[in-house]
Amino acid sequence: MARRISPKRIVHGALRHGYDQAAKDFGGLSRSLRLRVGKPGPFHDIRISSLHGNKAHSAALLKGHFVYSGQVMDVGQQGDPWTVAAPSQRFAAWLHCFDWLPDMLATDDRQAPVRARHLVDRWVAVYGHWNPFSWDKTVLPHRLFHWLALWSPNFQTDRLSEAAQARRRSLLRQLKYLRRVYPRVQNGLDRLVAASALVMGGARVPGQEEEFLARGLDWLDDEIDRQILPDGGHISRSPAQSYRALRVLQIVDASLQSRGLEGSRTLSRGIDRLLPVIPFFCHTDGHLGGFNGGGEGSREDIRRTIKAAKLNTRPFGYCPHTLFQRMDLNGTTLLMDTGSSPPPGFDTEAHLAPLAIELSTSAGRLFVNCGWNPEQPPHWRDPMRSTAAHSTLIINGETAGEALRSGLRTRWLGTAISQAPEPVNVSRKEQAGGVWIEASHGGYMPRYGLSHRRRLFMAENGQDIRGEDSLYVPVGASPLSREEVPFAIRFHLHPDVRVTLAQDQQSALLIQAGNIGWRFRTDGGPLAIEPSVYLGGGAQPVRGEQLVISGRALGDGDGETRSNRVRWSLRQLDVR
């Protein structure tokens, strides 16, 4: 059962490290309590029509039913969650980030804004002055972003009432605090959101153009230059974070446009670069690929975003900076990770999955990685980052590279990548008959002296995919051993796929929705079906299966012998 956190524990800062750091950021708790913001008048009326909330969650939220990561809190239609014990620290952080607010306000129910104001006002009454947990640098930027994006018309009413004034004072106090601690906000989307919140605050709050808007735009430009790569991908190499970055920048841009303010050229270029990469990362079902800490995402949100952008071009074939390859032929799509780990500071969510693939067809997902999304149980996080959780080759059950999991270094670096699977090389050929990709990585070189090479081909009809995986000693390198090394090539199947293994253990029949059949064959083996799990969708792991080709490679092999090379193929069948 998840550990519970009492209101007293949160309110009085029993999360000691957070309290000490927050007090240091602000120059001491006593100074934070004396922060004066005066009595700000009504804010500028900025209305943003591009916000996406999930209407399916609205009714439950209006009844006081909060659900996150499989945990539930019921406070009733008149209650609030701010003085009730949270099921876990993660749940409490989600509450204080107000990530649920767009869902609550996605409905046409007239009670939604009333209920949202009540919950914000109650938060202000309990936490509005200062609190080490709810004002933490990982929480504060997201709360401010949601409040500012949804302020009009939801929190802009009864402008002269005491509640409205307290609401505005609290928001201004939080903006001032965020401006002060901004340099210590962690790298990645937290900092992008923090800079965006300051820009939106400067646009929303009268008289704050210099303190928040100008400085926020400078910081936002810096983060866009750091985080958005020239090909449009996010520096984390995560499809999910690329999409989140796009939505954040679009909402900032909409806020400025609503006020008649002009954003920077960097902001416009950032949006323009991000937009085409989202279709690149999408499968045939409209969901995102499950790489580097991300899951499927909301298909409806993604569809609306692409439609609003009026993108009419086909997704390109590869991202030279984000380092992914895409094959997209006749309704069959294959995505391949052909990069190493993100730079330090942006790698705390990265997966160690060199040359991993995902494959989808007109009937849906076929091969997947096990995936991840923030609502999944936290004890699954480390296993999902391992190489074995992806559709690629694994030597001796070990991960290619290494991530920090515990110890003193994680206090400063988080769950960073301590050893990346380098180097990674890739080449691509497009011909009349189909597309070829050849890639290799040296993630296992330090331990086994072997590199992994993967060759892929997809025919132009999209119904014939061939692959070859080999282990070899690179030219110029010396073998570390002449002993045999066990390996496995894993193909995780989407939970909707049914699989039957042939008696010869050399082939399997895969059936997708609508009785779309595929024959998988290999000249290696034996081929087996093993349990798998899928975490790219909802809030709980879903059982699935995986195809596994097992073998033993020679430690001094050149990748051309039968022991060190496995070929496989996938062809569509007519089983109806």
Side-chain angles (χ1 to χ4, degrees):
M1 181 176 293
R3 180 169 58 90
R4 298 180 68 84
I5 299 178
S6 69
K8 183 177 180 180
R9 182 180 177 90
I10 295 177
V11 174
H12 296 292
L15 298 170
R16 195 66 232 171
H17 175 69
Y19 178 93
D20 291 342
Q21 183 60 53
K24 183 186 296 185
D25 289 338
F26 211 66
L29 179 59
S30 59
R31 287 177 58 189
S32 74
L33 296 177
R34 293 199 301 268
L35 180 64
R36 297 181 182 279
V37 296
K39 294 183 178 180
F43 293 167
H44 292 298
D45 189 21
I46 298 175
R47 305 196 178 210
I48 302 172
S49 59
S50 59
L51 286 166
H52 299 165
N54 191 329
K55 291 184 178 181
H57 298 164
S58 299
L61 287 167
L62 289 176
K63 295 177 181 178
H65 192 71
F66 293 84
V67 181
Y68 179 73
S69 188
Q71 297 175 322
V72 179
M73 174 187 286
D74 275 306
V75 297
Q77 289 182 286
Q78 304 301 320
D80 68 75
W82 313 126
T83 56
V84 179
S88 68
Q89 183 176 327
R90 292 174 76 222
F91 195 101
W94 173 76
L95 284 173
H96 286 276
C97 284
F98 279 75
D99 287 346
W100 44 268
L101 189 59
D103 292 346
M104 175 175 280
L105 293 170
T107 178
D108 296 328
D109 192 326
R110 295 182 179 181
Q111 288 302 308
V114 177
R115 179 65 174 151
R117 281 194 297 276
H118 171 74
L119 293 174
V120 168
D121 291 345
R122 285 293 301 142
W123 186 94
V124 170
V126 178
Y127 296 104
H129 209 60
W130 189 79
N131 174 265
F133 179 80
S134 60
W135 288 55
D136 183 79
K137 297 184 293 296
T138 62
V139 175
L140 174 64
H142 301 276
R143 177 171 62 252
L144 283 172
F145 184 85
H146 288 125
W147 284 18
L148 288 162
L150 294 161
W151 194 269
S152 300
N154 304 294
F155 309 121
Q156 190 79 319
T157 57
D158 58 350
R159 299 182 178 187
L160 301 180
S161 68
E162 291 184 7
Q165 291 180 0
R167 202 182 302 144
R168 293 194 295 267
R169 282 197 304 271
S170 177
L171 186 140
L172 184 53
R173 182 180 289 112
Q174 293 175 68
L175 282 170
K176 288 180 176 290
Y177 182 72
L178 178 59
R179 184 183 182 278
R180 186 170 299 185
V181 303
Y182 176 84
R184 289 180 289 281
V185 176
Q186 66 184 17
N187 285 322
L189 285 183
D190 280 356
R191 186 170 287 192
L192 190 74
V193 172
S196 299
L198 290 170
V199 172
M200 294 165 66
R204 178 81 69 175
V205 182
Q208 300 298 326
E209 287 80 1
E210 184 63 31
E211 182 173 3
F212 299 134
L213 182 59
R215 179 61 62 87
L217 279 171
D218 287 343
W219 282 335
L220 184 58
D221 285 353
D222 291 343
E223 290 309 310
I224 292 173
D225 286 339
R226 291 178 71 204
Q227 298 191 35
I228 310 305
L229 300 176
D231 60 15
H234 188 262
I235 195 170
S236 65
R237 305 191 60 248
S238 165
Q241 292 206 36
S242 297
Y243 181 67
R244 287 181 58 199
L246 171 63
R247 295 296 300 128
V248 167
L249 296 185
Q250 285 181 323
I251 291 169
V252 173
D253 190 53
S255 297
L256 295 174
Q257 289 189 28
S258 181
R259 273 287 320 278
L261 300 171
E262 185 175 348
S264 66
R265 292 182 62 187
T266 301
L267 174 59
S268 298
R269 287 198 301 266
I271 294 173
D272 290 342
R273 289 204 305 267
L274 279 162
L275 273 168
V277 88
I278 304 307
F280 172 90
F281 282 128
C282 283
H283 279 287
T284 55
D285 60 4
H287 288 297
L288 296 171
F291 298 90
N292 284 313
E296 297 177 355
S298 170
R299 176 171 50 194
E300 182 61 25
D301 288 353
I302 295 168
R303 186 193 65 80
R304 284 186 292 187
T305 299
I306 294 174
K307 183 178 179 180
K310 299 179 180 179
L311 289 174
N312 297 318
T313 58
R314 286 175 54 84
F316 36 85
Y318 60 95
C319 288
H321 302 278
T322 315
L323 302 175
F324 280 87
Q325 295 278 333
R326 178 185 177 95
M327 293 177 170
D328 189 1
L329 296 169
N330 195 32
T332 301
T333 298
L334 184 145
L335 295 174
M336 183 179 186
D337 185 342
T338 54
S340 183
S341 300
F346 300 95
D347 58 350
T348 56
E349 298 295 321
H351 290 187
L352 292 162
L355 312 192
I357 62 172
E358 289 199 332
L359 180 68
S360 61
T361 74
S362 58
R365 304 270 179 124
L366 193 60
F367 295 155
V368 296
N369 298 310
C370 291
W372 179 254
N373 73 59
E375 290 197 49
Q376 292 289 353
H379 64 272
W380 282 93
R381 187 70 194 95
D382 285 345
M384 293 304 100
R385 300 179 72 188
S386 69
T387 308
H390 299 80
S391 293
T392 187
L393 180 146
I394 303 92
I395 292 183
N396 203 23
E398 298 185 21
T399 290
E402 188 174 352
L404 296 176
R405 288 189 172 88
S406 61
L408 182 61
R409 293 174 67 192
T410 60
R411 181 173 182 179
W412 307 107
L413 302 176
T415 52
I417 302 298
S418 57
Q419 181 181 325
E422 298 173 332
V424 181
N425 300 299
V426 62
S427 63
R428 178 188 181 101
K429 293 182 181 179
E430 298 191 19
Q431 302 173 335
V435 179
W436 290 87
I437 295 174
E438 179 175 324
S440 63
H441 78 87
Y444 289 113
M445 281 294 295
R447 281 168 286 176
Y448 296 100
L450 293 170
S451 286
H452 171 211
R453 179 173 56 226
R454 169 163 273 185
R455 293 169 173 158
L456 298 174
F457 169 77
M458 183 183 293
E460 60 182 347
N461 62 8
Q463 299 176 5
D464 181 5
I465 299 102
R466 304 170 206 171
E468 177 185 285
D469 288 284
S470 57
L471 293 168
Y472 66 98
V473 178
V475 175
S478 299
L480 297 184
S481 170
R482 299 184 186 278
E483 300 296 324
E484 290 186 339
V485 177
F487 69 87
I489 308 171
R490 300 185 179 275
F491 300 88
H492 294 272
L493 304 174
H494 190 275
D496 291 342
V497 176
R498 292 175 289 143
V499 57
T500 303
L501 186 66
Q503 290 184 353
D504 62 2
Q505 294 184 304
Q506 296 291 300
S507 66
L509 176 64
L510 311 179
I511 305 295
Q512 294 183 283
N515 280 337
I516 304 298
W518 295 81
R519 174 69 68 183
F520 181 92
R521 296 183 184 275
T522 179
D523 66 358
L527 178 66
I529 299 174
E530 295 183 5
S532 180
V533 65
Y534 185 63
L535 291 86
Q540 292 293 326
V542 179
R543 291 181 179 180
E545 294 178 303
Q546 59 179 309
L547 289 173
V548 182
I549 305 172
S550 299
R552 301 184 69 86
L554 296 175
D556 59 352
D558 61 1
E560 298 301 325
T561 60
R562 186 175 181 86
S563 61
N564 287 51
R565 183 185 66 188
V566 174
R567 291 176 291 194
W568 50 269
S569 65
L570 188 70
R571 288 182 172 86
Q572 187 171 352
L573 305 173
D574 185 4
V575 298
R576 287 173 290 185

